Amino acid sequence: MRNRVVITGLGVAAPNAVGVPSFSDAIQAGRSGISFQPELAELKFSCQIGGIPPVTETIKQQYFTELQLRQLTSSGVIYGVIAGLEAWQNAGLSIATDEPDWESGIVFGTGLLGIDKIRESIYKVDAGQVRRLGSTAVVQTMASGVSAYLGGIIGCGNQLTANSSACATGTEALLLAYERIANGYAKRMLAGSCSDHGPYMWGGFDAMRVMPYQFNNSPEKASRPLSATASGFVPGSGAGALVVESLETALERNAPIYAEVLGGHLNSGGQRRGGSMTAPNAFAVKRCIQKAMEEAAIQPSDIDVIDGHLTATIKDSAEVTAWCEALGRRGADFPYINSLKSMVGHCLSAAGSIECVAAVLELHDGFIYPSVNCEDLHPEISAMIAPDRIPQQLIRKNINVIAKANFGFGDVNACVIFKKFQS
């Protein structure tokens, strides 16, 4: 018999807030974290805006020693450690002392970690200064760097790993952790993902011309999921983390329970049937959603809110089409649907975990955050679903079930089903 799995801790470093209390306030207020980035303008980027978490030196000092801060140049590591430790503390969990905690593990993903450190290292090596790379060059750039940092701080003795599936990374990490606990291989897992910020991370996307350039003077209006005037995704960065735990151990220690994970599904479209390296196979997206419902043992009518991937590109209407077909629901019967990217931009490999934190907060605290900047709904979308299904103001409402999905480069898909916890 599989274990029931619950969320007992949350942590976040997002472009519009750092820390769960501030983040909850920000998403309820519809507050943007997107701003003009002078460095991008100096480097002649077309898109000169982005979302960078407001991590102050004071915040850093709460999580790192002075020595660590002198060595750290990887923003992804900083964001990941902050989010991961906040989630662990938020769950009321202690730090292992002499013996590793054999029942606790970590799955913390990323796309590309420590790109600024990689650049610094390349220049030093090319200049014949290899001995000046420092002792942390490897751990700041290896994919499992955040898992390694967190594992050492917390003292985890179970599986310690990293995953990487482009924009689906964070939701995939959560589902990998869920499976480990459901099958009894661990009692709790810290799941999350992170992404670096800056020109070396975002330059390739600017070259692809998938980011907006019309809003450099009005950054907060730039990220426009579901909108007729959407013109590309705004780059973002940060990290999200969730403590995933067996219901039995959560109840034993009287832990806070934010939500239950009913199940989910991971798949790939195989870059077939219209799918490619950068475009999803629509059939695979629909199948992922349907299989997630099947594995969570729910009906389409049970879903109250969809926390979409919805990047503010031409694929938004295709995503809504997939949801309509997968659920068999349209018009006024369609669930509420929103996109956190309207406030924080597309945080790339961190997107799924930050958005999962937002979805769990909606479920636990009884609200639906607004999907801002979509006052001019795309006509293809408004033809499928009733406009009031896309909240443009905060809605206070008890929610029972949320479906959260992310779809990434490489034609990969992830969908998880959260439910309000009931004993």
Side-chain angles (χ1 to χ4, degrees):
M1 183 175 178
R2 284 163 64 88
N3 295 317
R4 288 176 67 182
V5 180
V6 294
I7 305 291
T8 57
L10 302 172
V12 69
N16 60 351
V18 177
V20 170
S22 297
F23 180 65
S24 182
D25 290 344
I27 64 175
Q28 291 182 62
R31 188 179 310 133
S32 176
I34 298 167
S35 61
F36 178 72
Q37 303 296 329
E39 184 180 17
L40 301 184
E42 292 168 9
L43 293 170
K44 296 181 171 53
F45 273 53
S46 296
C47 177
Q48 299 169 4
I49 57 178
I52 298 176
V55 175
T56 64
E57 290 302 315
T58 300
I59 293 174
K60 290 180 187 178
Q61 289 166 5
Q62 295 173 22
Y63 296 94
F64 299 96
T65 66
E66 289 297 329
L67 176 60
Q68 288 173 325
L69 288 175
R70 283 199 298 272
Q71 296 173 326
L72 275 173
T73 59
S74 171
S75 56
V77 170
I78 291 170
Y79 300 147
V81 170
I82 289 172
L85 288 180
E86 184 191 19
W88 198 256
Q89 294 161 2
N90 184 245
L93 292 164
S94 59
I95 302 299
T97 52
D98 297 332
E99 190 77 5
D101 180 353
W102 304 114
E103 297 297 340
S104 296
I106 299 174
V107 182
F108 214 103
T110 190
L112 180 62
L113 191 65
I115 192 164
D116 285 335
K117 189 66 177 179
I118 292 171
R119 177 178 179 270
E120 175 190 323
S121 299
I122 289 171
Y123 276 108
K124 285 183 177 178
V125 170
D126 287 349
Q129 299 176 344
V130 66
R131 294 188 180 183
R132 295 182 61 186
L133 287 180
S135 61
T136 65
V138 173
V139 295
Q140 287 193 65
T141 57
M142 66 185 190
S144 58
V146 175
S147 293
Y149 266 97
L150 288 169
I153 294 168
I154 295 169
C156 293
N158 207 281
Q159 183 183 23
L160 194 72
T161 191
N163 67 306
S164 187
S165 293
C167 313
T169 298
T171 303
E172 180 186 75
L174 177 67
L175 285 170
L176 294 175
Y178 160 81
E179 286 292 337
R180 191 158 185 83
I181 296 164
N183 290 320
Y185 299 134
K187 290 184 178 178
R188 68 194 63 83
M189 298 287 291
L190 178 60
S193 64
C194 64
S195 180
D196 285 28
H197 70 251
Y200 307 108
M201 193 72 194
W202 299 338
F205 297 106
D206 198 68
M208 291 173 68
R209 300 185 179 182
V210 294
M211 301 195 300
Y213 61 86
Q214 307 95 322
F215 299 92
N216 291 336
N217 294 322
S218 52
E220 294 182 355
K221 296 293 184 182
S223 187
R224 308 181 66 81
L226 303 162
S227 165
T229 50
S231 56
F233 74 81
V234 177
S237 57
L242 305 94
V243 173
V244 189
E245 188 167 359
S246 74
L247 175 60
E248 181 182 6
T249 60
L251 292 176
E252 281 176 0
R253 64 185 191 85
N254 196 30
I257 296 178
Y258 289 95
E260 183 168 4
V261 184
L262 293 184
H265 192 71
L266 304 168
N267 77 1
S268 167
Q271 299 180 39
R272 302 293 190 273
R273 298 180 66 167
S276 69
M277 180 64 73
T278 58
N281 172 338
F283 178 81
V285 170
K286 176 180 171 182
R287 177 181 172 85
C288 184
I289 295 166
Q290 291 177 325
K291 284 291 184 181
M293 291 188 292
E294 181 182 318
E295 292 174 26
I298 63 166
Q299 298 300 314
S301 58
D302 294 327
I303 295 175
D304 299 311
V305 177
I306 295 166
D307 196 306
H309 186 56
L310 299 170
T311 57
T313 63
I314 58 173
K315 294 299 179 182
D316 284 5
S317 59
E319 180 179 337
V320 174
T321 298
W323 283 106
C324 285
E325 293 179 356
L327 302 184
R329 298 174 63 180
R330 302 175 71 91
D333 181 51
F334 196 75
Y336 288 103
I337 184 169
N338 54 11
S339 173
L340 190 71
K341 293 181 181 71
S342 64
M343 291 180 253
V344 301
H346 191 339
C347 296
L348 305 176
S349 53
S353 55
I354 294 173
E355 292 163 12
C356 280
V357 171
V360 169
L361 286 170
E362 289 181 289
L363 201 61
H364 183 260
D365 295 337
F367 67 87
I368 305 172
Y369 65 76
S371 199
V372 301
N373 297 330
C374 64
E375 60 277 358
D376 58 334
L377 285 180
H378 194 289
E380 292 179 8
I381 293 172
S382 58
M384 288 184 280
I385 63 177
D388 68 355
R389 298 292 86 188
I390 303 170
Q392 297 187 39
Q393 301 292 331
L394 175 69
I395 297 174
R396 298 266 178 211
K397 184 180 179 66
N398 286 326
I399 305 163
N400 195 44
V401 176
I402 290 183
K404 171 77 202 103
N406 290 98
F407 315 112
F409 275 16
D411 200 5
V412 293
N413 309 305
C415 183
V416 61
I417 308 295
F418 297 117
K419 183 178 181 182
K420 194 175 187 69
F421 173 68
Q422 296 173 343
S423 57

